[in-house]
Amino acid sequence: MTVTIHLEDPDFVIVEKPVGISTQPLSSRRGMARHSAAVPPRDAPTLAHQVSASFPEIQSVGGSDWGAVHRLDRETSGLVVFARNQKAYEALRRAFSKNEVEKEYAALVEGEIQQAGTINWPIGPDPKSDKRVKVYRNVAEARRMKAQEAVTIYMPVGANLVFAPSTLLRVTIKSGRRHQIRAHLAALGHPIIGDEVYGSPQAGRTQGSPLRLHLHASRLRFRHPRTDLRVEASSPASFSEAPV
């Protein structure tokens, strides 16, 4: 597999993650189960393996993270940042953890959404499954389950006639909880097309085509960890016909 490089810098590289591959090696199969409904073999190639073919230095950055300063779900495509040295790794990790990185996604959801909105329901563990998270609307229950604050902002930008009725959304998040966008949109009543965990997987399948989750990390903006200059990268979602 050839990795698409969107931005190459002495301190980091921004690449495109395709659907169906993990971001980086995880330390155990238990760890893999937390982040993906379909657990690949421990020796399965990851995006980090592919990136390290051109940037071997990432293998020694961030321990088992292989330089990855954040991750996308295995089923999600889009932009991922890999640090090329430990100092950049630590700075970028702090930026992501403090929500100083602007993250934008394209999501194709079931049903029609006419107006922009904000979802701020807390997200926490689902006591019935370790493959998914739960959105808590009850304050007392959220506290009892130690659910975390999560804010998802969405804006409709068009429709996709292939999966009618559906709506293409531009989504930004003010936090980075596991499965946040997927769980929030499903709780809103508009699951992402092709989501096997939170939605109706058959809605994303066309005749003769493989199933995929229609969620794509389309834009990143952050401050350079060394120069403090503004960095921006974008990647259009291949599953949409409308501009994002």
Side-chain angles (χ1 to χ4, degrees):
M1 180 183 71
T2 301
V3 175
T4 299
I5 300 172
H6 285 270
L7 193 155
E8 182 179 340
D9 182 273
D11 292 302
F12 59 86
V13 60
I14 302 178
V15 303
E16 180 105 3
K17 189 186 93 63
V19 174
I21 186 170
S22 298
T23 301
Q24 77 238 54
L26 295 177
S27 57
S28 67
R29 289 186 63 82
R30 181 182 179 184
M32 288 181 178
R34 284 200 306 271
H35 293 285
S36 176
V39 181
R42 290 192 63 180
D43 58 352
T46 67
L47 179 64
H49 285 101
Q50 303 297 332
V51 174
S52 69
S54 299
F55 305 95
E57 64 273 16
I58 71 167
Q59 296 182 39
S60 59
V61 176
S64 61
D65 282 341
W66 282 45
V69 297
H70 65 121
R71 66 165 59 92
L72 297 177
D73 293 339
R74 187 167 181 263
E75 304 90 346
T76 303
S77 59
L79 299 173
V80 177
V81 183
F82 286 85
R84 299 179 64 182
N85 57 68
Q86 190 65 27
K87 190 172 182 179
Y89 169 83
E90 292 170 0
L92 289 169
R93 285 279 289 182
R94 282 195 302 271
F96 272 91
S97 66
K98 293 180 179 180
N99 298 321
E100 296 173 349
V101 178
E102 297 178 43
K103 295 167 283 187
E104 187 175 296
Y105 295 78
L108 187 64
V109 301
E110 297 180 33
E112 296 181 0
I113 298 178
Q114 301 293 336
Q115 297 181 334
T118 299
I119 309 169
N120 55 16
W121 298 315
I123 290 176
D126 188 332
K128 297 181 180 180
S129 173
D130 63 356
K131 294 181 179 180
R132 55 184 292 147
V133 297
K134 182 177 178 179
V135 174
Y136 291 87
R137 306 191 197 190
N138 180 280
V139 175
E141 186 181 15
R143 289 175 179 171
R144 185 172 64 254
M145 296 302 296
K146 298 181 179 180
Q148 296 177 298
E149 178 184 358
V151 179
T152 301
I153 302 167
Y154 61 89
M155 177 183 294
V157 295
N160 189 300
L161 298 178
V162 177
F163 301 110
S166 64
T167 305
L168 180 66
L169 300 177
R170 180 182 293 121
V171 181
T172 57
I173 56 176
K174 298 297 184 181
S175 46
R177 311 305 178 198
R178 178 193 172 205
H179 291 182
Q180 176 177 325
I181 297 174
R182 299 167 65 178
H184 263 172
L185 291 175
L188 189 67
H190 296 278
I192 296 174
I193 288 178
D195 195 335
E196 294 184 291
V197 178
Y198 298 95
S200 306
Q202 292 303 318
R205 189 186 298 276
T206 57
Q207 186 173 4
S209 69
L211 178 69
R212 72 150 294 180
L213 177 72
H214 286 67
L215 179 63
H216 181 80
S218 56
R219 185 171 283 110
L220 288 172
R221 302 183 186 93
F222 56 90
R223 292 291 181 181
H224 193 287
R226 181 170 45 82
T227 68
D228 201 40
L229 294 174
R230 188 176 179 86
V231 176
E232 180 171 347
S234 61
S235 167
S238 60
F239 56 77
S240 72
E241 296 176 356
V244 296

